[in-house]
Amino acid sequence: MLLERALKGEELAIARLLTKIEYVDPEGLKALEYLAERSGSAHVVGITGIPGAGKSTIIGALIDEYVRRHHKVGVVMIDPSSPFTKGSFMGNRIRMQDRSMLSNVFIRSLASRGHLGGVSAEALMLIEALDGLGYDRIIVETVGAGQTDTEVVSSVHTIAVLTVPGTGDEIQALKAGIMEIGDFYVINKADKPEAEASYISTKFVIDSAEINFRDGWKPIVTKTVATKGEGIKELVDMFEEHKSFLESNGIFRRRIVDRRVKMVELIVRRNIDQVLQKTIDENKKEILMMPLLKSVEKIRDDVIAKISK
Ligand SMILES: Nc1nc2c(ncn2[C@@H]2O[C@H](COP(=O)(O)OP(=O)(O)O)[C@@H](O)[C@H]2O)c(=O)[nH]1
Ligand SMILES: [Mg+2]
């Protein structure tokens, strides 16, 4: 059976199982239900930031560091503009013959449009599944904009916002309210001369901000050079610290409950949306001929009837 083989860690079986989950196939959903009973221990970290900030690069470096620490790493990428594969992350490292990289890392790229009509439900289902399969560190790459991202971002344990030096990102981000979401502000590309100024101004914004930080955690500002792996060990240390902080507050657990509630909501909402769309398509003519409120009532009653049978 596919699930059994996936639980044994067979990569091909995992890939096929996740596809079935993504497509909301009955076998996939059954497996997801089983995996959801075993999940709940993975630390889920969201990496967000504008395209080109270095998200994919830093994720490659984080994978290295996590595997060095004997973790199993799952990656979910919600960025249609950069369809990375395991090969593109692992290219150099496989040549270094680090076999553990191959068996302890699973990377999944999500397309821009999910099979349920959006990508967030799939992302949450994949996180749940990877968690249940024993991946104890899960990284989610998002561009940090739009509804999908908001839904996913609010369901992860730890959020790291990548900013690029010299772009005035910090000020823009603060204005846009993005500064309120991060647990970490990572000034990547710290090899650029403008990095120090960015670091100082971001720190200033955090220190002087009169905002309620998420869960009472004061965001940490830090610098990295993702391409050289600089600052990555320290970043992972701080992620682990944040994990302990969340665990000691009961927030770690609460976030997983939130994730499940959100997942259920999204799946049901999209099921209902599909019925609604179908009903509207079938009744276009009637809608046009009826008074407005009458047609609203008719469509609503039809949808309710279809759902409840
Ligand atoms: N100089 C420098 N370039 C970097 C660094 N991190 C990433 N880059 C480069 O920035 C570009 C965009 O990186 P990518 O990871 O694809 O960004 P993403 O769109 O946020 O996923 C690539 O050409 C990377 O090599 C860094 O620390 N320093
Ligand atoms: Mg990317």
Side-chain angles (χ1 to χ4, degrees), residues 192-265:
K192 294 199 168 187
E194 312 88 277
E196 194 53 32
S198 269
Y199 176 77
I200 290 168
S201 57
T202 305
K203 246 189 118 43
F204 175 78
V205 166
I206 297 291
D207 289 342
S208 59
E210 306 243 338
I211 47 181
N212 286 324
F213 297 121
R214 193 162 102 126
D215 314 314
W217 169 267
K218 188 174 177 202
I220 290 180
V221 185
T222 186
K223 288 181 277 188
T224 56
V225 183
T227 38
K228 293 184 190 149
E230 284 173 25
I232 300 300
K233 192 181 159 300
E234 294 78 1
L235 186 59
V236 170
D237 282 343
M238 291 186 281
F239 283 170
E240 297 298 309
E241 216 174 285
H242 189 236
K243 175 176 183 277
S244 301
F245 171 82
L246 296 179
E247 281 166 343
S248 66
N249 288 331
I251 302 169
F252 189 87
R253 188 72 224 153
R254 199 180 73 208
R255 204 84 92 222
I256 291 168
V257 173
D258 288 350
R259 172 177 96 205
R260 293 203 179 139
V261 170
K262 191 85 214 168
M263 186 167 58
V264 170
E265 180 198 320

Coordinates of all heavy atoms in Angstrom, one line a residue, residues 192-265:
K192 N 26.3 42.9 1.0 CA 26.2 44.2 0.3 C 26.5 45.3 1.3 O 26.2 45.2 2.5 CB 24.8 44.3 -0.2 CG 24.4 43.4 -1.3 CD 23.2 43.9 -2.1 CE 23.1 43.1 -3.4 NZ 22.0 43.6 -4.2
P193 N 27.2 46.3 0.8 CA 27.6 47.4 1.7 C 26.4 48.1 2.4 O 26.5 48.6 3.6 CB 28.3 48.4 0.8 CG 28.1 47.9 -0.6 CD 27.7 46.5 -0.5
E194 N 25.2 48.1 1.8 CA 24.1 48.8 2.4 C 23.5 48.0 3.6 O 22.5 48.5 4.3 CB 22.9 49.0 1.4 CG 23.4 49.5 0.1 CD 23.7 48.4 -0.9 OE1 24.9 48.0 -0.8 OE2 22.9 48.0 -1.7
A195 N 24.0 46.8 3.8 CA 23.3 45.9 4.8 C 23.3 46.5 6.2 O 22.3 46.4 6.9 CB 24.0 44.5 4.8
E196 N 24.4 47.1 6.6 CA 24.5 47.6 8.0 C 23.4 48.6 8.3 O 22.8 48.6 9.3 CB 25.9 48.2 8.2 CG 26.3 48.4 9.7 CD 26.1 47.2 10.6 OE1 26.3 46.0 10.1 OE2 25.7 47.4 11.8
A197 N 23.2 49.5 7.3 CA 22.2 50.6 7.4 C 20.8 50.0 7.5 O 20.0 50.4 8.4 CB 22.3 51.6 6.3
S198 N 20.6 48.9 6.7 CA 19.3 48.3 6.8 C 19.1 47.6 8.1 O 18.0 47.7 8.7 CB 19.2 47.2 5.7 OG 18.7 47.7 4.5
Y199 N 20.1 47.0 8.6 CA 20.1 46.3 9.9 C 19.7 47.3 11.0 O 18.8 47.1 11.8 CB 21.4 45.7 10.2 CG 21.5 45.0 11.5 CD1 20.9 43.8 11.8 CD2 22.2 45.6 12.6 CE1 21.0 43.1 13.0 CE2 22.3 45.0 13.8 CZ 21.7 43.8 14.0 OH 21.8 43.2 15.3
I200 N 20.4 48.4 11.0 CA 20.2 49.4 12.0 C 18.8 50.0 11.9 O 18.1 50.1 12.9 CB 21.2 50.6 11.9 CG1 22.6 50.0 12.3 CG2 20.9 51.8 12.8 CD1 23.8 50.9 12.0
S201 N 18.3 50.3 10.7 CA 17.0 50.9 10.6 C 15.9 49.9 10.9 O 14.9 50.3 11.5 CB 16.8 51.6 9.2 OG 16.9 50.6 8.2
T202 N 16.1 48.6 10.6 CA 15.1 47.6 10.9 C 15.0 47.5 12.4 O 13.9 47.4 13.0 CB 15.4 46.3 10.3 OG1 15.6 46.5 8.9 CG2 14.3 45.3 10.5
K203 N 16.2 47.4 13.1 CA 16.2 47.3 14.5 C 15.5 48.5 15.2 O 14.8 48.3 16.1 CB 17.7 47.2 15.0 CG 18.0 45.8 15.6 CD 19.3 45.7 16.2 CE 19.2 45.4 17.7 NZ 18.3 44.4 18.1
F204 N 15.8 49.6 14.6 CA 15.2 50.9 15.1 C 13.6 50.8 15.1 O 12.9 51.1 16.0 CB 15.7 52.1 14.4 CG 15.0 53.4 14.8 CD1 15.3 54.0 16.0 CD2 14.0 53.9 14.0 CE1 14.7 55.2 16.4 CE2 13.3 55.1 14.4 CZ 13.7 55.7 15.6
V205 N 13.2 50.3 13.9 CA 11.7 50.2 13.7 C 11.1 49.2 14.7 O 10.1 49.5 15.4 CB 11.4 49.7 12.3 CG1 10.0 49.2 12.2 CG2 11.7 50.8 11.3
I206 N 11.8 48.1 15.0 CA 11.3 47.1 15.9 C 11.3 47.7 17.3 O 10.4 47.5 18.1 CB 12.2 45.8 15.9 CG1 12.1 45.1 14.5 CG2 11.8 44.8 17.0 CD1 10.7 44.5 14.2
D207 N 12.5 48.3 17.7 CA 12.6 48.7 19.1 C 11.7 49.9 19.4 O 11.3 50.0 20.5 CB 14.1 49.2 19.3 CG 15.0 48.0 19.3 OD1 14.5 46.9 19.5 OD2 16.3 48.2 19.1
S208 N 11.3 50.7 18.4 CA 10.5 51.8 18.7 C 9.0 51.6 18.4 O 8.2 52.5 18.6 CB 11.0 53.1 17.9 OG 11.0 52.8 16.5
A209 N 8.7 50.4 17.9 CA 7.4 50.1 17.4 C 6.4 50.0 18.6 O 6.8 49.3 19.6 CB 7.3 48.9 16.6
E210 N 5.3 50.5 18.5 CA 4.3 50.4 19.6 C 3.3 49.4 19.1 O 2.1 49.7 19.0 CB 3.6 51.7 19.9 CG 4.6 52.8 20.2 CD 4.4 53.4 21.6 OE1 3.3 53.2 22.1 OE2 5.3 53.9 22.1
I211 N 3.7 48.2 18.7 CA 2.8 47.2 18.3 C 2.8 46.0 19.2 O 3.8 45.8 19.8 CB 3.1 46.8 16.8 CG1 4.6 46.5 16.6 CG2 2.6 47.8 15.8 CD1 4.9 46.1 15.2
N212 N 1.7 45.3 19.2 CA 1.7 44.1 20.0 C 2.3 43.0 19.2 O 1.8 42.5 18.2 CB 0.2 43.7 20.3 CG -0.4 44.6 21.3 OD1 0.3 45.0 22.3 ND2 -1.6 44.9 21.2
F213 N 3.5 42.6 19.6 CA 4.2 41.5 18.9 C 3.4 40.2 19.1 O 2.8 40.0 20.2 CB 5.6 41.4 19.5 CG 6.4 42.6 19.2 CD1 7.0 43.3 20.3 CD2 6.6 43.1 17.9 CE1 7.7 44.5 20.0 CE2 7.3 44.2 17.7 CZ 7.9 44.9 18.7
R214 N 3.5 39.4 18.1 CA 2.7 38.1 18.1 C 3.2 37.3 19.3 O 4.4 37.1 19.5 CB 3.1 37.4 16.8 CG 2.3 36.2 16.4 CD 2.4 35.9 14.9 NE 3.3 34.7 14.7 CZ 3.0 33.7 14.0 NH1 1.7 33.6 13.5 NH2 3.8 32.7 13.8
D215 N 2.2 36.9 20.1 CA 2.4 36.0 21.2 C 3.4 36.6 22.3 O 3.9 35.8 23.1 CB 3.0 34.6 20.8 CG 2.2 34.1 19.6 OD1 1.0 34.2 19.7 OD2 2.8 33.6 18.7
G216 N 3.7 37.9 22.2 CA 4.6 38.4 23.2 C 6.1 38.1 22.9 O 6.9 38.3 23.8
W217 N 6.4 37.7 21.7 CA 7.8 37.5 21.3 C 8.3 38.7 20.6 O 7.7 39.2 19.6 CB 7.8 36.3 20.4 CG 9.1 36.1 19.7 CD1 9.5 36.6 18.4 CD2 10.3 35.3 20.1 NE1 10.7 36.1 18.1 CE2 11.3 35.4 19.1 CE3 10.6 34.6 21.3 CZ2 12.5 34.7 19.2 CZ3 11.8 33.9 21.3 CH2 12.7 34.0 20.3
K218 N 9.4 39.3 21.2 CA 9.9 40.5 20.5 C 10.8 40.0 19.3 O 11.7 39.2 19.5 CB 10.8 41.3 21.5 CG 11.2 42.6 20.9 CD 12.0 43.4 21.8 CE 12.4 44.7 21.1 NZ 13.6 45.3 21.7
P219 N 10.4 40.5 18.1 CA 11.1 40.0 16.9 C 12.6 40.2 17.0 O 13.1 41.2 17.6 CB 10.5 40.9 15.8 CG 9.2 41.3 16.3 CD 9.3 41.5 17.8
I220 N 13.3 39.3 16.4 CA 14.8 39.4 16.4 C 15.2 39.8 15.0 O 14.7 39.3 14.0 CB 15.4 38.0 16.7 CG1 15.1 37.7 18.2 CG2 16.9 38.0 16.4 CD1 15.7 36.4 18.7
V221 N 16.1 40.8 14.9 CA 16.7 41.2 13.6 C 18.1 40.6 13.5 O 18.9 40.7 14.4 CB 16.8 42.8 13.6 CG1 17.2 43.2 12.2 CG2 15.4 43.4 13.9
T222 N 18.3 40.0 12.3 CA 19.6 39.3 12.2 C 20.1 39.4 10.7 O 19.3 39.8 9.8 CB 19.5 37.9 12.6 OG1 20.8 37.3 12.6 CG2 18.5 37.1 11.8
K223 N 21.3 39.2 10.5 CA 21.9 39.3 9.1 C 22.4 37.9 8.6 O 22.9 37.1 9.4 CB 23.1 40.2 9.1 CG 22.8 41.7 9.3 CD 24.0 42.5 9.3 CE 24.7 42.6 10.6 NZ 25.8 43.6 10.7
T224 N 22.2 37.7 7.3 CA 22.7 36.4 6.7 C 23.3 36.7 5.3 O 23.0 37.7 4.7 CB 21.6 35.4 6.5 OG1 20.5 36.0 5.7 CG2 21.0 34.9 7.8
V225 N 24.2 35.8 4.9 CA 24.6 35.8 3.5 C 24.2 34.4 3.1 O 25.0 33.4 3.3 CB 26.1 36.0 3.3 CG1 26.4 36.0 1.8 CG2 26.5 37.4 3.9
A226 N 23.0 34.2 2.5 CA 22.5 32.9 2.3 C 23.4 32.1 1.3 O 23.6 30.9 1.4 CB 21.1 33.0 1.7
T227 N 23.9 32.8 0.3 CA 24.7 32.2 -0.7 C 26.0 31.5 -0.1 O 26.5 30.6 -0.7 CB 25.2 33.1 -1.8 OG1 25.5 34.4 -1.2 CG2 24.1 33.3 -2.8
K228 N 26.5 32.1 1.0 CA 27.7 31.5 1.6 C 27.4 30.8 2.9 O 28.3 30.3 3.6 CB 28.7 32.7 1.9 CG 29.2 33.3 0.7 CD 30.3 34.4 1.1 CE 30.7 35.2 -0.1 NZ 31.0 36.6 0.3
G229 N 26.1 30.7 3.3 CA 25.7 30.0 4.5 C 26.1 30.8 5.8 O 26.1 30.3 6.9
E230 N 26.4 32.1 5.6 CA 26.8 32.9 6.8 C 25.6 33.3 7.6 O 24.6 33.8 7.1 CB 27.6 34.1 6.4 CG 29.0 33.8 6.0 CD 29.8 35.0 5.4 OE1 29.4 36.1 5.7 OE2 30.7 34.7 4.6
G231 N 25.7 33.1 8.9 CA 24.6 33.5 9.8 C 23.5 32.4 9.9 O 22.5 32.6 10.6
I232 N 23.7 31.3 9.2 CA 22.6 30.3 9.2 C 22.5 29.5 10.4 O 21.5 29.2 11.0 CB 22.8 29.4 7.9 CG1 22.7 30.2 6.6 CG2 21.7 28.3 7.9 CD1 21.4 30.9 6.4
K233 N 23.7 29.1 10.9 CA 23.8 28.3 12.2 C 23.1 29.1 13.3 O 22.3 28.6 14.0 CB 25.3 28.0 12.5 CG 25.5 27.0 13.6 CD 27.0 26.8 13.8 CE 27.2 26.2 15.2 NZ 26.6 27.1 16.3
E234 N 23.5 30.4 13.4 CA 22.9 31.3 14.4 C 21.4 31.4 14.2 O 20.6 31.4 15.2 CB 23.5 32.7 14.3 CG 25.0 32.7 14.7 CD 25.9 32.3 13.5 OE1 25.4 31.9 12.5 OE2 27.2 32.2 13.8
L235 N 20.9 31.5 12.9 CA 19.5 31.6 12.7 C 18.8 30.4 13.1 O 17.7 30.5 13.8 CB 19.3 31.9 11.2 CG 17.9 32.2 10.7 CD1 17.3 33.4 11.4 CD2 17.8 32.3 9.2
V236 N 19.3 29.2 12.8 CA 18.7 28.0 13.3 C 18.7 27.9 14.8 O 17.6 27.5 15.4 CB 19.4 26.7 12.6 CG1 18.8 25.4 13.3 CG2 19.1 26.7 11.1
D237 N 19.7 28.3 15.5 CA 19.7 28.3 16.9 C 18.6 29.2 17.4 O 17.9 28.8 18.4 CB 21.1 29.0 17.4 CG 22.2 28.0 17.4 OD1 22.0 26.8 17.3 OD2 23.4 28.5 17.5
M238 N 18.4 30.3 16.8 CA 17.3 31.2 17.2 C 15.9 30.6 16.9 O 15.0 30.8 17.7 CB 17.5 32.6 16.6 CG 18.7 33.3 17.2 SD 18.9 35.0 16.6 CE 19.5 34.8 15.0
F239 N 15.8 29.9 15.8 CA 14.5 29.3 15.5 C 14.2 28.2 16.6 O 13.1 28.1 17.0 CB 14.6 28.5 14.1 CG 14.5 29.4 12.9 CD1 14.8 28.9 11.6 CD2 14.1 30.7 13.0 CE1 14.7 29.7 10.5 CE2 14.0 31.6 11.9 CZ 14.3 31.0 10.6
E240 N 15.2 27.5 17.0 CA 15.0 26.5 18.1 C 14.6 27.2 19.4 O 13.8 26.7 20.1 CB 16.3 25.7 18.3 CG 16.7 24.8 17.1 CD 15.7 23.8 16.6 OE1 15.2 23.0 17.5 OE2 15.3 23.8 15.4
E241 N 15.2 28.4 19.6 CA 14.8 29.1 20.8 C 13.4 29.5 20.7 O 12.6 29.5 21.7 CB 15.7 30.4 20.9 CG 16.2 30.8 22.2 CD 17.1 32.0 22.1 OE1 18.3 31.7 21.7 OE2 16.7 33.1 22.3
H242 N 13.0 30.0 19.6 CA 11.6 30.4 19.4 C 10.6 29.2 19.6 O 9.6 29.3 20.2 CB 11.4 31.0 18.0 CG 10.0 31.6 17.8 ND1 9.1 31.3 16.8 CD2 9.4 32.6 18.5 CE1 8.0 32.0 16.9 NE2 8.1 32.8 18.0
K243 N 11.1 28.0 19.1 CA 10.3 26.8 19.3 C 10.1 26.5 20.8 O 8.9 26.3 21.2 CB 11.0 25.6 18.6 CG 10.3 24.3 18.8 CD 11.0 23.2 18.0 CE 10.4 21.9 18.1 NZ 10.7 21.1 19.3
S244 N 11.1 26.6 21.5 CA 11.0 26.4 23.0 C 10.1 27.4 23.6 O 9.3 27.0 24.5 CB 12.4 26.5 23.6 OG 13.3 25.5 23.1
F245 N 10.3 28.6 23.2 CA 9.4 29.7 23.7 C 7.9 29.4 23.5 O 7.1 29.4 24.4 CB 9.8 31.0 23.0 CG 8.8 32.2 23.3 CD1 8.9 32.9 24.5 CD2 7.8 32.5 22.4 CE1 8.0 33.9 24.7 CE2 6.9 33.5 22.6 CZ 7.1 34.3 23.8
L246 N 7.6 28.9 22.3 CA 6.2 28.6 21.9 C 5.7 27.4 22.7 O 4.6 27.4 23.2 CB 6.1 28.3 20.4 CG 6.4 29.5 19.5 CD1 6.2 29.0 18.0 CD2 5.5 30.7 19.7
E247 N 6.6 26.4 22.9 CA 6.2 25.2 23.7 C 5.9 25.6 25.1 O 5.0 25.1 25.7 CB 7.3 24.2 23.6 CG 7.3 23.4 22.2 CD 8.6 22.6 22.0 OE1 9.6 22.9 22.6 OE2 8.5 21.7 21.1
S248 N 6.8 26.4 25.7 CA 6.6 26.8 27.1 C 5.3 27.6 27.3 O 4.8 27.6 28.5 CB 7.8 27.5 27.6 OG 7.9 28.8 27.0
N249 N 4.8 28.2 26.3 CA 3.6 29.0 26.4 C 2.3 28.2 26.0 O 1.2 28.8 26.0 CB 3.6 30.2 25.5 CG 4.6 31.2 26.1 OD1 4.8 31.3 27.3 ND2 5.2 32.0 25.2
G250 N 2.5 27.0 25.5 CA 1.3 26.3 25.0 C 0.9 26.8 23.6 O -0.1 26.3 23.0
I251 N 1.7 27.7 23.0 CA 1.3 28.3 21.7 C 1.7 27.3 20.6 O 1.0 27.2 19.5 CB 2.0 29.6 21.5 CG1 1.7 30.6 22.6 CG2 1.6 30.2 20.1 CD1 2.5 31.8 22.6
F252 N 2.7 26.5 20.8 CA 3.1 25.5 19.8 C 2.0 24.6 19.4 O 1.6 24.5 18.2 CB 4.3 24.7 20.3 CG 4.9 23.8 19.3 CD1 6.0 24.3 18.5 CD2 4.5 22.5 19.1 CE1 6.6 23.5 17.5 CE2 5.1 21.7 18.1 CZ 6.1 22.2 17.4
R253 N 1.3 24.1 20.4 CA 0.2 23.2 20.3 C -1.0 24.0 19.7 O -1.7 23.5 18.8 CB -0.2 22.7 21.7 CG -1.2 21.6 21.8 CD -0.7 20.3 21.2 NE -1.7 19.7 20.4 CZ -1.5 18.9 19.4 NH1 -0.3 18.5 19.1 NH2 -2.5 18.4 18.7
R254 N -1.2 25.2 20.2 CA -2.4 26.0 19.7 C -2.3 26.3 18.2 O -3.3 26.2 17.5 CB -2.4 27.3 20.5 CG -3.8 28.0 20.5 CD -3.8 29.2 21.3 NE -3.1 30.3 20.6 CZ -2.5 31.3 21.2 NH1 -2.5 31.4 22.5 NH2 -1.8 32.2 20.5
R255 N -1.1 26.5 17.8 CA -0.9 26.8 16.4 C -1.3 25.6 15.5 O -1.8 25.8 14.4 CB 0.5 27.2 16.1 CG 0.7 28.1 14.9 CD 0.4 29.5 15.1 NE 1.6 30.3 15.4 CZ 1.7 31.2 16.4 NH1 0.7 31.6 17.0 NH2 2.9 31.8 16.6
I256 N -1.0 24.4 16.0 CA -1.3 23.2 15.2 C -2.9 23.0 15.2 O -3.4 22.7 14.2 CB -0.6 22.0 15.9 CG1 0.9 22.1 15.6 CG2 -1.2 20.7 15.3 CD1 1.7 21.1 16.4
V257 N -3.5 23.3 16.3 CA -5.0 23.3 16.4 C -5.5 24.3 15.4 O -6.4 24.0 14.6 CB -5.5 23.5 17.8 CG1 -7.0 23.7 17.8 CG2 -5.0 22.4 18.7
D258 N -5.0 25.5 15.4 CA -5.4 26.6 14.4 C -5.3 26.1 13.0 O -6.1 26.3 12.1 CB -4.6 27.8 14.6 CG -4.9 28.6 15.9 OD1 -5.9 28.2 16.5 OD2 -4.2 29.5 16.2
R259 N -4.1 25.4 12.7 CA -3.9 24.9 11.4 C -4.9 23.9 10.9 O -5.4 24.0 9.8 CB -2.5 24.3 11.4 CG -2.1 23.6 10.1 CD -0.7 23.0 10.2 NE -0.6 21.7 10.6 CZ 0.5 21.1 11.2 NH1 1.5 21.9 11.5 NH2 0.5 19.9 11.6
R260 N -5.3 23.0 11.9 CA -6.3 22.0 11.5 C -7.7 22.7 11.3 O -8.4 22.3 10.4 CB -6.4 21.0 12.6 CG -5.1 20.2 12.7 CD -5.3 18.9 13.3 NE -4.0 18.2 13.3 CZ -3.5 17.5 14.3 NH1 -4.2 17.4 15.4 NH2 -2.3 16.9 14.2
V261 N -8.0 23.6 12.2 CA -9.3 24.3 12.0 C -9.4 25.0 10.6 O -10.3 24.9 9.9 CB -9.5 25.3 13.2 CG1 -10.7 26.1 12.9 CG2 -9.7 24.5 14.5
K262 N -8.3 25.7 10.3 CA -8.2 26.4 9.1 C -8.3 25.4 7.9 O -9.0 25.7 6.9 CB -6.8 27.1 9.0 CG -6.7 28.1 7.8 CD -7.3 29.4 8.3 CE -8.0 30.1 7.1 NZ -8.8 31.2 7.4
M263 N -7.6 24.3 8.0 CA -7.6 23.3 6.9 C -9.1 22.8 6.7 O -9.5 22.7 5.6 CB -6.7 22.1 7.3 CG -6.5 21.1 6.2 SD -5.1 20.0 6.7 CE -5.6 19.4 8.2
V264 N -9.7 22.4 7.8 CA -11.1 21.9 7.7 C -12.0 23.0 7.1 O -12.7 22.8 6.1 CB -11.7 21.6 9.1 CG1 -13.2 21.3 9.0 CG2 -10.9 20.3 9.6
E265 N -11.8 24.3 7.5 CA -12.6 25.4 7.0 C -12.4 25.5 5.5 O -13.3 25.6 4.7 CB -12.2 26.7 7.7 CG -13.0 27.9 7.2 CD -12.3 29.2 7.5 OE1 -11.8 29.3 8.6 OE2 -12.4 30.1 6.7

